[in-house]
């Protein structure tokens, strides 16, 4: 429990945890109410949230968890880490849907549905990436001058 509270104080972990709870709650509600099959756009909305969730998790793991020590924290690195993580997990999810038989789209609709899933993953991931980077800039500006690289010693 103390470790969780310690991690909760790190950047992006709170957002990642809240989005995890919201995502799971919406998924369970969608299964109970058959929203994936009744509301066409619900799957796209969940892919948007899933993309944001994956990117927040990957960025937290790489930049904020303490498991890695990245020297550079520029927008380029945020996009690179976000993109690699998002591609990996998006493709993995689509493979899971095929193997588990979750996708019921057949014939010529399947490529369109998969492309839409990837686009929504990408949009959610980009939103989370921009959020994380803007949060980084905001937190960096709050540091005392002695901790920034621009200050003279």
């Amino acid at each position: 429990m103390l470790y969780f509270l310690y991690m909760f104080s790190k950047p992006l972990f709170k957002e990642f945890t809240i989005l995890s709870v919201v995502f799971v709650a919406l998924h369970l509600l969608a299964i109970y109410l058959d929203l994936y099959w009744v509301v066409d756009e619900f799957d796209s909305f969940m892919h948007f949230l899933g993309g944001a969730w994956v990117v927040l998790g990957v960025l937290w793991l790489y930049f904020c968890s303490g498991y890695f020590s990245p020297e550079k924290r520029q927008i380029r690195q945020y996009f690179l880490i976000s993109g690699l993580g998002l591609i990996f997990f998006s493709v993995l999810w689509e493979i899971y849907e095929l193997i588990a038989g979750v996708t019921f789209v057949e014939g010529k609709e399947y490529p369109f549905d998969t492309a839409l899933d990837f686009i929504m993953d990408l949009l959610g991931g980009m939103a989370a990436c921009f959020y994380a980077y803007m949060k980084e800039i905001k937190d960096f500006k709050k540091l005392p001058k002695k901790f920034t690289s621009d200050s003279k010693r």
Side-chain angles (χ1 to χ4, degrees):
M1 182 67 176
L2 289 175
Y3 182 73
F4 181 77
L5 292 175
Y6 167 71
M7 294 313 278
F8 212 78
S9 68
K10 293 198 172 248
L12 298 180
F13 191 75
K14 182 177 13 175
E15 291 89 342
F16 177 73
T17 304
I18 291 169
L19 190 56
S20 299
V21 170
V22 168
F23 188 82
V24 168
L26 284 174
H27 177 68
L28 292 175
L29 185 69
I31 289 175
Y32 180 74
L33 298 176
D34 293 329
L35 292 178
Y36 289 117
W37 297 273
V38 175
V39 181
D40 291 334
E41 295 81 12
F42 195 79
D43 182 54
S44 295
F45 175 68
M46 291 302 284
H47 272 277
F48 180 87
L49 288 181
W53 178 75
V54 164
V55 167
L56 281 178
V58 168
L59 290 177
W60 171 81
L61 182 67
Y62 186 73
F63 288 112
C64 306
S65 69
Y67 296 123
F68 302 93
S69 299
E71 302 253 337
K72 296 181 179 179
R73 290 177 165 257
Q74 298 170 342
I75 190 75
R76 218 173 308 159
Q77 282 73 28
Y78 273 76
F79 274 124
L80 179 66
I81 298 301
S82 297
L84 291 174
L86 192 62
I87 289 169
F88 177 77
F89 284 106
S90 294
V91 169
L92 199 67
W93 182 257
E94 291 301 320
I95 292 170
Y96 161 76
E97 282 185 344
L98 278 174
I99 291 172
V102 177
T103 182
F104 296 109
V105 180
E106 296 178 16
K108 56 186 173 182
E109 290 180 14
Y110 178 74
F112 173 75
D113 181 63
T114 302
L116 181 62
D117 290 350
F118 284 139
I119 289 169
M120 294 309 292
D121 290 341
L122 179 68
L123 290 174
M126 285 176 54
C129 182
F130 280 124
Y131 171 81
Y133 187 69
M134 297 307 282
K135 186 169 176 60
E136 171 79 18
I137 291 171
K138 182 180 155 194
D139 289 346
F140 182 75
K141 286 182 179 178
K142 287 182 183 177
L143 287 175
K145 291 283 186 200
K146 66 179 181 178
F147 293 116
T148 61
S149 61
D150 298 334
S151 63
K152 296 182 180 178
R153 295 182 185 220

